[in-house]
C-alpha cells in the first residue's frame, strides 16, 4: 500500500506518533511516489532518523539501517566474504579431488557472502520494498559518498566473483545529515531535499503530548515555551526534541506539575549535554539575567493570552 495523498501521509505518520508538517509530508509523498531518495538535513534531534522508522512502520515494510561514521568503507556497507567459513571449507576439502577452480566457485558463492545493509536492501525479495536508512551521511568520508552516488543511480552492484545484482524493487531511501559538512551537489541532485527545522511551539507541544501522554497540559506548555526561549539563546549545543521528551519524562518521575527555577536547575542535565552550556544556563538563572518565571509568563501570555 503506497500513500494515496499528502493528507494520508500526515495521518499515517500521526498514527505512528510522528507529527509531520505539510511540507515534510509533501516531500515524503513525492519521494515514495517518484521512487526518489529523500535527503533530510537539520540539527541533531529534530526528527530526521525517526522519519525513516515511521515510514517503514506506515508502509508496513522492513527498515534497513546503515549508520555512517568516519572511516566507513564499502565492505562494511555492502558485503564481505565470510573468511572463517571459507577457510573451514578449504580444510574440509583437503584430500578431496576437487579442482582449484571448482573450489573457488564454491567458496565465492552466495553461501559464503555476508550481506551488509546496502546489499541486503538491493536483494530484498519481499513484496513491499524496504526502507533503507542511510543515517548521518555527513560523518562518512567523501569517497564513500561518491560510492553511494553510484548505488543510488543504478540500484545495482557488481560482485566480481558472482556477477551483477540488480534491485528487484528500488528500496525507499532516506538519507540524513546533521550538516557537519556540506554534501556534494551530485548526491543532492539525486535526492529530494528537505530541511527539518527546530519545531514551532505548537508542533513541539503536539509531539510532546503524543510521545509522553502522561504530561499535564500546564507543564507541557511550560516545557515547550522554555525550549523556544532556550533555542533563541546562544549555546554550544542547543537541545533537540529528544531532550524535550527526556526532560518531560524526568519531571513526571519527579512529580513536578509546574516548572520553577529550582527544578530547572536540578534537571539541566536533561536539556544540555555540555558542561559549558549547563554553567551558562545556571548563571543565567541565578543571575536572574533570565527570570525564568517571567519568561514563561510572558511567553504563555503572548501565545495563549
Ligand atoms: N515530528 C516528530 N514527531 C514525533 N516525534 C518526534 C518528531 N521529531 C522528533 N521526534 C522524537 O525526537 C527524538 C529525536 O528524533 P531523531 O529522529 O532521533 O532526531 P535526529 O535523527 O534528527 O537527530 C526521537 O525520540 C523522536 O521520536
Ligand atoms: Mg538521527
Amino acid at each position: 500500500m503506497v500513500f494515496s495523498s499528502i493528507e494520508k501521509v500526515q495521518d499515517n505518520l500521526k498514527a505512528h506518533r510522528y507529527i509531520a508538517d505539510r511540507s515534510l509530508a509533501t516531500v515524503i509523498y513525492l519521494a515514495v511516489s517518484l521512487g526518489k531518495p529523500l535527503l533530510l538535513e537539520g540539527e541533531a534531534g529534530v526528527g530526521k532518523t525517526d522519519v525513516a522508522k515511521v515510514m517503514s512502520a506506515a508502509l508496513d515494510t522492513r527498515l534497513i539501517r546503515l549508520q555512517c561514521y568516519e572511516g566507513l568503507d564499502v565492505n562494511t556497507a555492502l558485503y564481505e566474504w565470510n573468511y572463517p567459513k571459507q577457510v573451514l571449507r578449504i580444510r574440509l576439502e583437503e584430500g578431496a579431488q576437487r579442482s582449484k577452480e571448482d573450489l573457488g566457485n564454491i567458496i565465492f558463492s552466495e553461501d559464503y557472502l555476508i550481506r551488509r545493509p546496502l546489499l541486503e536492501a538491493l536483494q530484498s525479495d519481499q513484496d513491499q520494498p524496504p526502507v533503507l536508512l542511510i543515517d548521518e551521511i555527513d560523518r562518512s568520508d567523501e569517497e564513500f559518498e561518491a560510492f553511494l552516488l553510484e548505488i543510488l543511480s543504478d540500484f545495482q552492484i557488481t560482485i566480481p566473483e558472482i556477477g551483477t545484482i540488480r534491485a528487484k524493487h528500488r528500496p525507499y531511501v532516506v538519507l540524513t545529515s546533521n550538516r557537519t559538512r556540506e554534501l556534494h551537489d551530485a548526491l543532492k541532485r539525486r535526492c529530494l531535499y528537505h530541511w527539518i527545522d527546530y519545531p514551532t511551539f505548537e508542533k513541539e507541544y503536539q509531539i510532546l503530548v503524543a510521545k509522553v501522554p502522561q504530561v499535564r497540559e500546564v507543564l507541557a506548555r511550560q516545557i515547550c515555551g522554555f525550549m523556544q526561549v532556550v533555542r533563541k539563546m546562544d549555546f554550544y549545543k542547543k537541545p533537540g526534541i529528544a531532550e524535550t521528551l527526556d526532560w518531560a519524562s524526568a519531571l513526571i518521575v519527579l512529580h513536578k506539575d509546574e516548572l520553577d527555577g529550582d527544578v530547572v536547575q536540578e534537571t539541566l542535565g536533561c536539556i544540555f549535554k555540555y558542561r559549558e552550556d549547563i554553567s551558562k544556563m545556571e548563571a543565567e538563572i541565578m543571575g536572574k539575567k533570565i527570570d525564568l518565571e517571567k519568561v514563561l509568563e510572558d511567553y504563555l501570555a503572548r501565545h495563549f493570552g
Side-chain angles (χ1 to χ4, degrees):
M1 173 225 50
V2 179
F3 304 124
S4 56
S5 67
I6 295 168
E7 291 72 30
K8 278 265 154 48
V9 174
Q10 251 174 333
D11 293 348
N12 228 312
L13 297 189
K14 190 157 185 200
H16 291 90
R17 298 197 302 164
Y18 190 90
I19 310 298
D21 2 76
R22 174 101 188 162
S23 58
L24 176 59
T26 304
V27 81
I28 293 174
Y29 175 72
L30 291 174
V32 170
S33 306
L34 301 172
K36 276 203 152 211
L38 172 59
L39 171 60
L40 300 173
E41 272 195 332
E43 305 291 337
V46 292
K48 302 180 297 295
T49 302
D50 219 28
V51 167
K53 293 185 187 167
V54 290
M55 262 175 75
S56 78
L59 292 163
D60 191 21
T61 185
R62 234 179 108 198
L63 175 71
I64 298 176
R65 178 177 188 164
L66 175 66
Q67 173 64 53
C68 299
Y69 52 86
E70 207 183 317
L72 170 65
D73 60 8
V74 173
N75 286 343
T76 319
L78 197 53
Y79 72 90
E80 282 174 283
W81 291 107
N82 189 338
Y83 183 66
K85 195 174 166 188
Q86 287 177 321
V87 170
L88 194 67
R89 183 63 190 248
I90 293 171
R91 291 250 172 83
L92 289 171
E93 292 282 341
E94 271 166 19
Q97 302 301 313
R98 218 187 278 275
S99 73
K100 263 194 182 161
E101 200 189 334
D102 282 350
L103 184 56
N105 286 338
I106 291 172
I107 63 172
F108 289 105
S109 65
E110 297 217 13
D111 283 350
Y112 292 79
L113 203 57
I114 301 175
R115 288 176 183 73
R116 297 299 183 201
L118 292 180
L119 180 58
E120 230 177 291
L122 291 183
Q123 272 199 315
S124 166
D125 50 12
Q126 288 173 313
D127 290 342
Q128 182 68 261
V131 173
L132 171 62
L133 165 63
I134 302 174
D135 212 10
E136 303 186 349
I137 171 132
D138 52 322
R139 291 222 239 157
S140 69
D141 310 312
E142 299 201 3
E143 301 88 83
F144 185 78
E145 200 184 312
F147 158 76
L148 255 188
L149 182 63
E150 259 180 67
I151 298 254
L152 296 181
S153 313
D154 308 336
F155 288 92
Q156 68 175 36
I157 58 137
T158 301
I159 301 177
E161 297 85 350
I162 292 180
T164 298
I165 295 174
R166 189 171 289 114
K168 230 196 288 172
H169 318 278
R170 283 184 174 209
Y172 302 114
V173 182
V174 178
L175 301 112
T176 78
S177 165
N178 289 344
R179 211 171 177 214
T180 53
R181 67 173 174 85
E182 222 24 85
L183 302 177
H184 279 282
D185 281 348
L187 183 73
K188 286 188 175 173
R189 240 177 283 130
R190 287 260 164 265
C191 303
L192 295 175
Y193 177 85
H194 185 76
W195 171 263
I196 303 188
D197 223 329
Y198 285 121
T200 58
F201 175 93
E202 289 73 20
K203 180 176 173 186
E204 193 159 31
Y205 181 82
Q206 281 188 55
I207 296 171
L208 179 52
V209 173
K211 286 286 168 75
V212 187
Q214 317 89 295
V215 72
R216 296 262 180 83
E217 191 184 327
V218 173
L219 182 63
R221 286 186 176 191
Q222 289 186 334
I223 290 172
C224 296
F226 185 82
M227 285 303 190
Q228 294 295 322
V229 174
V230 164
R231 291 194 194 115
K232 287 201 185 78
M233 295 164 65
D234 186 29
F235 289 106
Y236 178 65
K237 170 89 187 45
K238 292 181 189 180
I241 298 168
E243 282 71 26
T244 308
L245 301 178
D246 283 350
W247 191 31
S249 303
L251 293 169
I252 289 169
V253 169
L254 296 174
H255 304 292
K256 296 291 172 189
D257 293 331
E258 284 192 48
L259 288 186
D260 58 59
D262 289 341
V263 72
V264 171
Q265 226 163 342
E266 285 157 14
T267 53
L268 282 179
C270 298
I271 310 172
F272 297 106
K273 304 298 154 79
Y274 285 88
R275 195 171 157 253
E276 292 74 9
D277 286 346
I278 292 180
S279 308
K280 181 169 180 180
M281 194 69 212
E282 271 172 349
E284 300 266 357
I285 296 173
M286 284 202 290
K288 289 276 175 193
K289 260 196 271 172
I290 122 169
D291 183 337
L292 187 70
E293 273 118 86
K294 186 152 182 336
V295 163
L296 288 173
E297 255 166 44
D298 287 355
Y299 190 86
L300 295 174
R302 236 180 312 126
H303 278 75
F304 302 99

